[in-house]
Amino acid sequence: MENQFIIKGGTPLNGEVVVGGAKNSALGIIAAAIMTDETVTIDNLPDVRDINVLLEAIEDIGATVIRENEHRVKINGSTINDITIAYDAIKKIRASYYLLGALLGKYKRANVALPGGCDIGSRPIDQHLKGFRALGATANVEFGMVNTYAVDLIGSHIYLDVVSVGATINIMLAACLAKGRTVIENAAKEPHIVDVANFLNSMGANIKGAGTDKIRINGVFKLHASEYSIVPDMIEAGTFMVAAAATKGDVLIKNVIPKHLEAISVKLIEIGAKVEEYDDAVRVYSDKRLGHTQIKTLPYPGFPTDMQPQIATLLALSEGTSTVTESIFENRFKYVDELARMGSTIKVEGNVAIIEGVAGFTGAAITAPDLRAGAALVIAGLVANGFTTVDSIKYIERGYENFEKKLTGLGASIEKIPVDDEEAVQKFKLKCS
Ligand code: UD1
């Protein structure tokens, strides 16, 4: 049965919230974990749909997966007996492509269905394939599958034509077990690239320079057991930062790496919110309507595309005219029509959203078009006057663990109820009155 969120807006968020492990790190790390025949323990795993689908996919090909609790898993790749990942197993997640790099590195061959994922624009994987080919593999797309094969993987010098998180991680995975030295130039620098590299190094890989645009990998013969804890999720943290500012609240967001949040903090401060940084927490508060700004999404350390819908929602409520330029994905403004139904004034021209701030939103029945846009619409509902329902929350659940519970803990009125359950709606409304 499909669920939806029902929200009564208007309550400032107040209190403390703890951020979970980074979903995008975890996806790379789970794939990396099958590259050794020894047992790997991963901690601070986010309990979200994308992660659970990937764990099922590696179980399907024979890996042993023991979920010790929702945030800790043991993986053993020695029992893998198949190198083909079918579409049914992974159609819901894009990062299934990491299994290409992981299986190719370990077994020198892999067949993985072309990934799905959020529909935020065309998402080619040519740079991944270019990297595999540079390492000496064949890589072809046939009948919806990506098939790769190598007699031997040989280290190589690879220059990425576009800065790609996925291609950087995928090539890093395969190159770890290649013969000799690989250099990835124009590599992506996102914190989760550093996290996956640290994890691989903890398994005996030899990777240097992750977090810069030049990553150097000396291939090793094999990888070994490791115990590793995933870094905090910067996008979950950023989402709560924006939610705190949008609701004119005061929230201490714990278990974060403030450095990863700088691009978000700087923009919030620029428009008038208060941001205090601690060792592993940030406090965001505001008691007034915020101002306007210009934002352009860029690879890290620029403003993250995964925070674009959330910040645009905040700017839609701020004073004056803002512009948000999306330079990574071309189809990431689909939430704008939903926001318009709540009273926003946003015009999209090409990859630029021109936002005329309005004084407030009013509640409406809206639908989440994708993961981050879904989170943005929940923020809109938290601010709106009256009741909002957000449908298609399966997207939000791909990347946010206990989103509604964490928001309730901050004083929000939000509940997960079945779609079309009029009785549940009435009960919620009664509770809020
Ligand atoms: C990752 C993140 C996603 C985030 C995105 C950008 C994961 C699982 N997902 O996605 O949440 O929004 O980074 O920060 O970590 N491109 C090519 N050819 C390629 C690969 C990419 O042209 O072979 C282009 C894409 O179309 C896009 C840009 O490069 O315009 C960046 O994409 P990329 O960094 O690869 O995004 P993902 O790894 O898919």
Side-chain angles (χ1 to χ4, degrees):
M1 187 187 357
E2 275 251 20
N3 288 319
Q4 63 176 192
F5 286 143
I6 182 163
I7 306 165
K8 164 90 189 310
T11 315
L13 297 184
N14 261 296
E16 297 182 359
V17 64
V18 180
V19 165
K23 171 190 78 103
N24 287 348
S25 281
L27 293 167
I29 285 172
I30 289 168
I34 64 168
M35 295 180 70
T36 171
D37 280 344
E38 297 179 17
T39 299
V40 162
T41 307
I42 304 167
D43 248 319
N44 204 29
L45 190 76
D47 186 17
V48 295
R49 194 180 310 240
D50 272 13
I51 298 303
N52 297 326
V53 171
L54 188 60
L55 288 173
E56 277 168 31
I58 63 168
E59 238 179 341
D60 279 354
I61 56 166
T64 309
V65 176
I66 300 169
R67 197 68 176 261
E68 295 197 319
N69 61 49
E70 69 259 57
H71 298 137
R72 184 178 164 92
V73 69
K74 277 190 188 311
I75 295 172
N76 186 298
S78 68
T79 44
I80 290 176
N81 51 31
D82 196 356
I83 43 98
T84 300
I85 311 280
Y87 186 65
D88 272 354
I90 49 85
K91 61 174 177 246
K92 299 175 212 85
I93 57 161
R94 171 135 188 102
S96 52
Y97 54 39
Y98 290 145
L99 295 174
L100 276 171
L103 292 168
L104 179 66
K106 188 178 184 194
Y107 300 108
K108 310 294 175 253
R109 62 165 66 229
N111 309 314
V112 177
L114 256 186
C118 275
D119 180 16
I120 54 177
S122 96
R123 298 174 83 173
I125 59 161
D126 55 300
Q127 298 303 305
H128 306 233
L129 303 186
K130 168 178 154 169
F132 298 150
R133 289 181 189 130
L135 296 173
T138 60
N140 300 309
V141 181
E142 275 172 340
F143 306 111
M145 300 289 289
V146 186
N147 303 315
T148 61
Y149 164 77
V151 178
D152 250 338
L153 289 177
I154 313 283
S156 175
H157 202 107
I158 298 158
Y159 185 92
L160 294 179
D161 302 324
V162 291
V163 179
S164 160
V165 172
T168 303
I169 291 181
N170 231 343
I171 298 167
M172 213 163 67
L173 289 167
C176 270
L177 292 176
K179 285 185 182 148
R181 180 179 163 88
T182 297
V183 178
I184 309 173
E185 302 242 33
N186 199 26
K189 297 181 280 205
E190 268 69 3
H192 43 288
I193 290 172
V194 180
D195 209 28
V196 176
N198 286 343
F199 172 64
L200 285 163
N201 284 341
S202 79
M203 293 202 298
N206 184 347
I207 304 171
K208 297 203 171 78
T212 75
D213 58 9
K214 184 171 177 172
I215 300 179
R216 301 171 311 275
I217 304 153
N218 281 314
V220 296
F221 182 60
K222 64 176 197 163
L223 300 171
H224 56 67
S226 169
E227 184 158 347
Y228 193 81
S229 184
I230 293 170
V231 293
D233 196 306
M234 59 181 261
I235 305 300
E236 187 192 5
T239 302
F240 282 110
M241 291 169 77
V242 169
T247 60
K248 301 194 181 82
D250 185 347
V251 178
L252 184 69
I253 300 144
K254 294 164 82 168
N255 186 35
V256 303
I257 299 177
K259 173 121 197 65
H260 295 170
L261 304 170
E262 260 168 19
I264 303 159
S265 300
V266 162
K267 280 296 165 190
L268 288 176
I269 292 166
E270 195 184 308
I271 59 175
K274 299 275 190 289
V275 179
E276 287 172 10
E277 284 184 8
Y278 301 91
D279 284 349
D280 61 354
V282 285
R283 177 183 170 207
V284 177
Y285 58 105
S286 170
D287 56 8
K288 56 169 199 248
R289 193 171 170 211
L290 299 174
H292 55 95
T293 188
Q294 271 84 49
I295 291 183
K296 183 175 185 181
T297 61
L298 287 169
Y300 188 84
F303 193 90
T305 173
D306 285 355
M307 282 300 300
Q308 182 262 100
Q310 302 89 315
I311 200 92
T313 300
L314 172 59
L315 293 173
L317 291 158
S318 301
E319 210 143 5
T321 306
S322 298
T323 58
V324 172
T325 305
E326 173 56 62
S327 71
I328 313 284
F329 294 113
E330 73 267 24
N331 198 11
R332 223 170 179 177
F333 286 127
K334 281 190 298 185
Y335 62 92
V336 163
D337 290 341
E338 300 296 305
L339 268 191
R341 306 187 56 241
M342 303 178 77
S344 72
T345 324
I346 304 177
K347 207 164 76 190
V348 177
E349 286 178 3
N351 67 338
V352 183
I354 301 144
I355 303 170
E356 301 286 346
V358 295
F361 290 158
T362 47
I366 50 179
T367 301
D370 60 65
L371 164 57
R372 304 303 171 184
L377 293 173
V378 169
I379 294 174
L382 293 173
V383 180
N385 189 3
F387 292 93
T388 294
T389 52
V390 183
D391 280 0
S392 291
I393 62 169
K394 58 178 187 288
Y395 290 115
I396 301 172
E397 292 176 338
R398 291 180 52 173
Y400 291 90
E401 180 177 341
N402 289 332
F403 197 37
E404 76 285 7
K405 293 204 185 84
K406 289 186 181 184
L407 288 168
T408 306
L410 295 170
S413 300
I414 175 169
E415 234 172 66
K416 182 155 77 177
I417 60 169
V419 172
D420 292 332
D421 186 340
E422 200 39 45
E423 203 177 307
V425 171
Q426 291 314 326
K427 230 165 99 185
F428 179 81
K429 288 189 172 172
L430 212 63
K431 216 168 69 184
C432 293
S433 61

